[in-house]
Amino acid sequence: METVETHVGEPPGLSSSQAAHRLQELGPNVVPKPRPPSPVRLLLGQMVHFFALLLWVAAVLAWVADMPELAVAIAVVVVVNGVFAFLQEYRADKAGQKLLELMPALATVLRDRHRRQIPVHDIVVGDLLLLEAGDAVAADGRLVSVTGLALDESMLTGESTTTHPSPDGVVHAGTYVVEGEAAVEITATGPATELAHIMALTRTASRPPSPLAIRLRRVVRVIAGLAIAVGVAFFAVSLVLGMPPSDGFLFAVGVMVALVPEGLLPTVTLSLARGAQRMASRNALVRHLESVETMGSTTFICTDKTGTLTRNEMSVVEVWTPQGTASVVGHGYAPTARITAGAGTLPAVRDVALAAARCSTGRMVRSGEQWTAHGDPMEVALHVLALRADVDVPAEETARPLLRRLPFDAHRRRMSVLAGDVVYVKGAPDSVLALTSAGDDAVQAVAELAARGLRVLAVARRAATADDAGAPAVDVEQHLELLGLVALEDPPRDDVHAAVAACRTAGIKLAMVTGDHIGTATAIAREVGLLRDGPVLEGSDLPADDDALGELVDRDGVVIARVTPEDKLRIARALHARGHVVAMTGDGVNDGPALREADIGIAMGRSGSDVAREAADVVLLDDNFATIVAAVELGRATFANIRRFLTYHLTDNVAELTPFLIWALSGGSLPLALTVLQILALDIGTDLLPALALGAEPPSHATMRQRPSTGALIDRAVLGRAFGVLGPVEAVVEMAAFFVVLGLAGWVVGAEPSTQTLAAASGAAFAAVVLGQLGNAFACRSEYRWVGALRMTGNPMLLWAVAVELVLLAVFLAPPLSGLLGGSPPPAAGWAVALAAPVAVVLADAAAKAVRARSR
């Protein structure tokens, strides 16, 4: 029968009456749950943000100007857009509200000197919590008894390796027992636990406004300022022309409303939603729509190591024996990988693999064609080594049954088993080699393997004696024969090196920020190409001053190991203060504050905690760093697409404003070519679908060969194309169509055209703008290449949108809508001029791009 050594006897625990009194005094063992955002508040937030407010003002002004149809239409645009955005983000918030799943439902305690299972929320300070393999720790406490205890603390510390607390150490809520047993005297419950502290830190970290929000505010200011300036100017002109002040005011309001791009808000929202769908198809789940564009603006990525850059699967990569060295080809837990060793070395490798497996409880279990890992990842990797070496572990267990286990502890730093007539030992090389007659070659091998960032274990054995059944561990682990050394690693993902290189090409700085050992972190960073000339630091090396911290880490290829939650939070703040758009990855509870503080928090979907996923903006469904790069590319494409349809909308605004400008400059002697309702039909009718299609333009090959887009959405290039080239050409054709129809009907300057003539001329101008926007849509697909150089089927949505645009043109020019909008089908001459609009726009765009290309 197996015997297990313990260190300290267990105290009796609490009585039921003591536990009841403390529960009433201190409260239940429940981590405070943040109140989820109210659905009503979320919905209202979508209705009153900065862009929506601009449209609400436009709707009120339209109502004041006695244009109720326009006011209602604008209000509908705001409401429909708000509901759509609310539904997108509400679903994401609901998916993230699982903060308490780290806590087990039941726990085993010693009450009244009997083992009892009680609800976790009934645990109180002073309880004796009994733990065994597979249990989650339900509260913070002090260890009073341990038997081979191994903990997974990665959710709190960020360190991937299993820890072995000392007999008088402490454990924290949210960690897991990988193997062994323990008795824990509870010292803190509920809001007093370390888990609750980190969660509170997560909630206090403020989420900065996204780059898109900042840029859209600038767009709104530009549009609002332009609309007000033009409205005031037209009001002044109306007074000069002798119009009554009330009529002049209403006219000026109509012009101001006409200049507001009512279709821009739904276009932005739907473009972001389209980007979110694309990211989801690439395994990046977006929880906040604006995060789509923020990903594309990222200038600095702080990435974790385990599971993001690496596979999160320990693998034996090399076995050293006195007879020779063997290499293991292939990573992960697949038992089919090949061992490369000489004929004389392979038997020695099998001895090492057998001894290591017998000293481990982790196993790969086969069910049909599937292999599943159970237990500590490192010990699973040792069992996999035995499978790869064709060692029949079950047969050996039958031949030499386990009689005694001497568990690992922090003082000995090794573990041993008595199996039949053999004692097997594995542990830290320095602790095992000292008990053998190993020579300098073994010590040198340890140094060489450790220098490569590998985790090294020494494996030994000796023949058992009768005294080993009851002798102290220090006597059993003597006079050993060194079998060999096992080197393990958590290998990098196959596509990480290429992803790191893609970030560098895209002008994005990288830093590894991890809780792991500095040697392991450095080795992985060097292997994947992340480590450059940047410093290699530990969290304890970071300066206390935030400015100095920012200056220290603001460089490419930094490695920072052994970081705390507060360290990651400070790093995010320091980089943000230096003007960076910071993306921070993480998977543990400890990562929550930094994920919320960063401009873009990225959580792991497979291995991550619910706390991290709740705090993040983006969740990686495959935990892969390469997915971040794919999301950045899609985010950049979304930014470029927003600029495309902004150019498209602003071009239309030039054509919409021109009739009013000509009317004002002529002193009212030239009639208006477009009505306010026709402008509304352009903004949220014919223009909307092509703009949305431009928002779906796929990324170009140059997307990740450019620096991050940190500038304004509307800059000199956008304004130059819209107001200097595309808009004026479209406006010239528009007015030409209008005056050709008037002139052929016999109209002369200063005369009042008939209602029918004016309607036909206005219909020609309207058709010219719609058709000009058709050519504009294709021109806006690229900032640098002319339409003829683009593949027509590259954006199928645009082809469908243009087809619908032509149908809507026919609908708007036919009764009954023609009577409401103020335009009727133009004569043949009007159509002839209008049909020249798309050709003129495309040719002007091609000429401008050619001139710009020569000047670069």
Side-chain angles (χ1 to χ4, degrees):
M1 177 181 297
E2 176 186 356
T3 62
V4 180
E5 294 197 351
T6 58
H7 297 279
V8 184
E10 295 178 358
L14 299 176
S15 67
S16 296
S17 59
Q18 287 176 315
H21 175 73
R22 294 188 182 183
L23 183 64
Q24 184 176 10
E25 179 184 7
L26 300 176
N29 178 38
V30 176
V31 176
K33 185 177 181 180
R35 180 179 297 177
S38 164
V40 175
R41 184 175 180 180
L42 286 176
L43 180 59
L44 289 177
Q46 297 295 343
M47 302 293 181
V48 296
H49 59 75
F50 51 93
F51 207 163
L53 289 176
L54 176 65
L55 294 182
W56 282 123
V57 171
V60 170
L61 291 176
W63 188 273
V64 170
D66 197 24
M67 292 181 285
E69 301 90 347
L70 179 59
V72 171
I74 295 174
V76 169
V77 168
V78 179
V79 172
V80 170
N81 180 82
V83 170
F84 176 81
F86 160 75
L87 292 176
Q88 290 281 327
E89 297 199 357
Y90 182 69
R91 283 196 296 265
D93 280 334
K94 292 294 289 184
Q97 291 170 15
K98 297 180 179 179
L99 298 180
L100 300 182
E101 288 186 3
L102 287 173
M103 303 291 283
L106 295 174
T108 302
V109 298
L110 204 64
R111 291 266 178 95
D112 302 317
R113 297 182 180 273
H114 295 287
R115 295 171 65 98
R116 293 184 179 177
Q117 277 203 329
I118 65 171
V120 163
H121 56 72
D122 287 344
I123 292 177
V124 297
V125 172
D127 258 326
L128 193 69
L129 178 67
L130 305 179
L131 299 172
E132 59 186 24
D135 287 347
V137 181
D140 292 358
R142 178 181 60 84
L143 287 167
V144 296
S145 174
V146 295
T147 304
L149 182 66
L151 291 178
D152 178 358
E153 297 182 329
S154 60
M155 287 299 152
L156 286 177
T157 67
E159 186 170 356
S160 60
T161 56
T162 301
T163 60
H164 299 268
S166 60
D168 57 350
V170 295
V171 295
H172 297 289
T175 59
Y176 294 85
V177 179
V178 175
E179 65 174 58
E181 299 178 349
V184 179
E185 183 180 1
I186 299 302
T187 57
T189 61
T193 62
E194 183 69 14
L195 174 65
H197 168 70
I198 296 175
M199 292 174 68
L201 192 61
T202 298
R203 292 193 292 273
T204 57
S206 59
R207 192 182 302 278
S210 70
L212 179 63
I214 296 172
R215 290 163 174 162
L216 283 177
R217 287 193 187 105
R218 293 173 184 159
V219 171
V220 170
R221 284 198 294 267
V222 170
I223 292 174
L226 178 64
I228 292 172
V230 172
V232 170
F234 275 91
F235 178 65
V237 170
S238 67
L239 295 180
V240 171
L241 296 177
M243 292 179 63
S246 58
D247 293 345
F249 172 75
L250 296 180
F251 177 73
V253 167
V255 174
M256 292 168 60
V257 172
L259 286 175
V260 176
E262 292 83 2
L264 184 57
L265 179 59
T267 303
V268 170
T269 302
L270 292 174
S271 179
L272 294 175
R274 172 70 176 174
Q277 291 173 351
R278 284 179 170 177
M279 287 187 181
S281 69
R282 301 283 291 273
N283 291 315
L285 179 64
V286 177
R287 299 188 63 242
H288 307 285
L289 283 183
E290 289 183 354
S291 301
V292 173
E293 190 275 336
T294 308
M295 283 296 303
S297 302
T298 300
T299 62
F300 205 114
I301 298 177
C302 297
T303 179
D304 202 351
K305 177 187 74 68
T306 304
T308 310
L309 298 176
T310 66
R311 296 171 177 266
N312 199 21
E313 293 180 353
M314 294 294 291
S315 297
V316 176
V317 295
E318 197 165 305
V319 180
W320 178 92
T321 72
Q323 291 75 26
T325 301
S327 299
V328 182
V329 181
H331 292 307
Y333 292 150
T336 56
R338 188 174 73 255
I339 296 179
T340 303
T345 304
L346 193 56
V349 172
R350 290 195 174 105
D351 289 342
V352 171
L354 171 61
R358 292 307 306 270
C359 285
S360 305
T361 58
R363 291 291 184 264
M364 283 294 290
V365 178
R366 184 171 185 173
S367 176
E369 298 299 320
Q370 297 292 325
W371 290 87
T372 306
H374 293 272
D376 181 283
M378 184 196 69
E379 295 198 342
V380 171
L382 296 176
H383 183 232
V384 170
L385 173 65
L387 294 174
R388 291 171 174 172
D390 295 324
V391 175
D392 191 343
V393 177
E396 290 288 339
E397 290 174 338
T398 301
R400 293 187 175 91
L402 185 66
L403 302 178
R404 186 182 185 193
R405 183 188 304 276
L406 301 173
F408 180 95
D409 68 41
H411 301 291
R412 291 167 35 246
R413 294 191 299 126
R414 56 185 179 267
M415 72 164 296
S416 306
V417 296
L418 172 60
D421 57 353
V422 180
V423 173
Y424 294 112
V425 181
K426 84 169 192 295
D430 56 336
S431 72
V432 175
L433 293 182
L435 306 174
T436 71
S437 58
D440 293 340
D441 54 344
V443 176
Q444 182 179 354
V446 171
E448 291 176 352
L449 293 171
R452 290 159 50 189
L454 301 175
R455 186 176 185 184
V456 184
L457 295 175
V459 182
R461 72 182 176 190
R462 71 167 174 83
T465 67
D467 295 334
D468 290 332
V474 66
D475 294 332
V476 174
E477 299 167 339
Q478 292 292 334
H479 310 298
L480 302 174
E481 172 197 0
L482 179 66
L483 295 176
L485 305 171
V486 178
L488 304 99
E489 72 171 353
D490 181 5
R493 293 179 180 270
D494 295 335
D495 48 4
V496 165
H497 198 283
V500 168
C503 287
R504 297 262 162 74
T505 302
I508 300 172
K509 292 183 179 179
L510 297 173
M512 179 189 288
V513 183
T514 178
D516 260 341
H517 186 273
I518 191 168
T520 305
T522 303
I524 292 295
R526 182 176 290 113
E527 185 172 354
V528 301
L530 186 147
L531 182 61
R532 280 190 161 180
D533 298 329
V536 177
L537 309 165
E538 289 193 345
S540 58
D541 300 328
L542 299 178
D545 180 71
D546 283 353
D547 291 338
L549 174 63
E551 184 176 356
L552 178 64
V553 301
D554 186 8
R555 62 192 73 188
D556 191 22
V558 179
V559 175
I560 310 173
R562 298 295 194 192
V563 294
T564 66
E566 290 78 9
D567 290 335
K568 297 187 78 170
L569 188 63
R570 289 185 59 224
I571 290 169
R573 286 176 177 168
L575 291 172
H576 184 76
R578 292 177 66 87
H580 281 291
V581 178
V582 182
M584 178 77 71
T585 74
D587 56 5
V589 175
N590 63 312
D591 294 323
L595 294 180
R596 186 174 291 275
E597 180 71 24
D599 296 280
I600 188 82
I602 305 172
M604 303 300 108
R606 289 183 178 178
S607 62
S609 68
D610 287 331
V611 175
R613 288 193 288 267
E614 188 275 338
D617 304 287
V618 174
V619 178
L620 302 184
L621 302 181
D622 58 359
D623 294 9
N624 194 341
F625 181 82
T627 301
I628 300 175
V629 180
V632 169
E633 181 181 27
L634 291 172
R636 289 190 174 188
T638 300
F639 176 82
N641 289 344
I642 293 176
R643 283 172 58 90
R644 287 186 178 103
F645 60 66
L646 275 173
T647 305
Y648 180 81
H649 277 301
L650 292 174
T651 299
D652 197 20
N653 276 6
V654 174
E656 292 168 353
L657 180 60
T658 298
F660 292 90
L661 184 61
I662 289 177
W663 173 86
L665 293 176
S666 69
S669 61
L670 299 178
L672 278 171
L674 294 177
T675 67
V676 172
L677 289 180
Q678 281 177 317
I679 291 174
L680 180 66
L682 289 169
D683 284 344
I684 60 177
T686 59
D687 274 1
L688 189 56
L689 288 180
L692 292 176
L694 287 172
E697 187 73 24
S700 70
H701 297 299
T703 299
M704 292 298 285
R705 295 199 295 268
Q706 302 168 352
R707 299 193 62 80
S709 301
T710 57
L713 284 170
I714 298 180
D715 58 10
R716 184 177 301 176
V718 170
L719 293 176
R721 290 190 69 200
F723 293 133
V725 180
L726 301 174
V729 171
E730 194 172 288
V732 166
V733 180
E734 166 199 20
M735 298 312 299
F738 179 70
F739 287 120
V740 163
V741 173
L742 287 180
L744 292 176
W747 172 83
V748 295
V749 176
E752 186 73 25
S754 66
T755 302
Q756 293 81 2
T757 299
L758 183 59
S762 183
F766 181 79
V769 176
V770 173
L771 294 173
Q773 285 292 90
L774 184 152
N776 184 28
F778 287 100
C780 287
R781 287 187 60 196
S782 173
E783 287 191 49
Y784 306 103
R785 303 167 66 195
W786 83 288
V787 173
L790 302 174
R791 190 163 56 94
M792 292 298 292
T793 57
N795 187 348
M797 287 186 62
L798 184 58
L799 299 178
W800 284 104
V802 166
V804 173
E805 184 179 18
L806 293 174
V807 172
L808 288 175
L809 172 60
V811 170
F812 288 151
L813 288 178
L817 287 181
S818 60
L820 175 65
L821 299 179
S824 63
W831 278 116
V833 178
L835 287 171
V839 178
V841 168
V842 168
L843 292 178
D845 176 69
K849 288 175 178 175
V851 171
R852 187 166 46 176
R854 283 197 298 268
S855 63
R856 286 205 305 265

